[in-house]
Amino acid sequence: HVGEIADHFFSDCKKLKTLIVPAGITELGLCAFSFCSGLREIHISKGTKRFEFSWLDRLKGLTIYAPKGSAAEKYAKEKKINFAEE
């Protein structure tokens, strides 16, 4: 679908360290980041609203950068993921 990062899109991409999610992306697909053990930073726009089962909560050392008050901030806090306002 347009406006999403597809299911399993970055799965097992261990070299991925930083990702900037474009403004038009509204959701992160199922297991989109599974086994992305190198991912340390993900920058998420205010328009991204759906994160369930994307695996972000399973990645150690990850920081989510997003606007204050965004769905990404709420997700990060619920899942105890490092968060930084952007």
Side-chain angles (χ1 to χ4, degrees):
H1 294 100
V2 174
E4 74 175 340
I5 291 178
D7 296 351
H8 305 281
F9 192 80
F10 290 104
S11 184
D12 207 29
C13 187
K14 292 175 177 41
K15 292 186 179 186
L16 181 64
K17 295 184 184 328
T18 301
L19 181 69
I20 298 171
V21 178
I25 301 297
T26 58
E27 66 181 80
L28 306 180
L30 177 69
C31 298
F33 299 97
S34 59
F35 305 108
C36 291
S37 57
L39 187 61
R40 296 293 175 258
E41 295 183 11
I42 185 165
H43 300 259
I44 301 175
S45 70
K46 190 171 185 166
T48 305
K49 305 278 188 219
R50 188 166 179 266
F51 307 90
E52 292 85 1
F53 311 113
S54 64
W55 266 62
L56 292 178
D57 58 323
R58 298 180 186 187
L59 302 177
K60 296 186 185 333
L62 177 68
T63 299
I64 292 176
Y65 294 84
K68 187 160 182 64
S70 64
E73 179 185 21
K74 181 180 176 190
Y75 173 81
K77 289 183 177 182
E78 286 175 0
K79 300 295 185 175
K80 297 180 174 45
I81 300 170
N82 296 325
F83 175 80
E85 182 180 352
E86 184 164 74

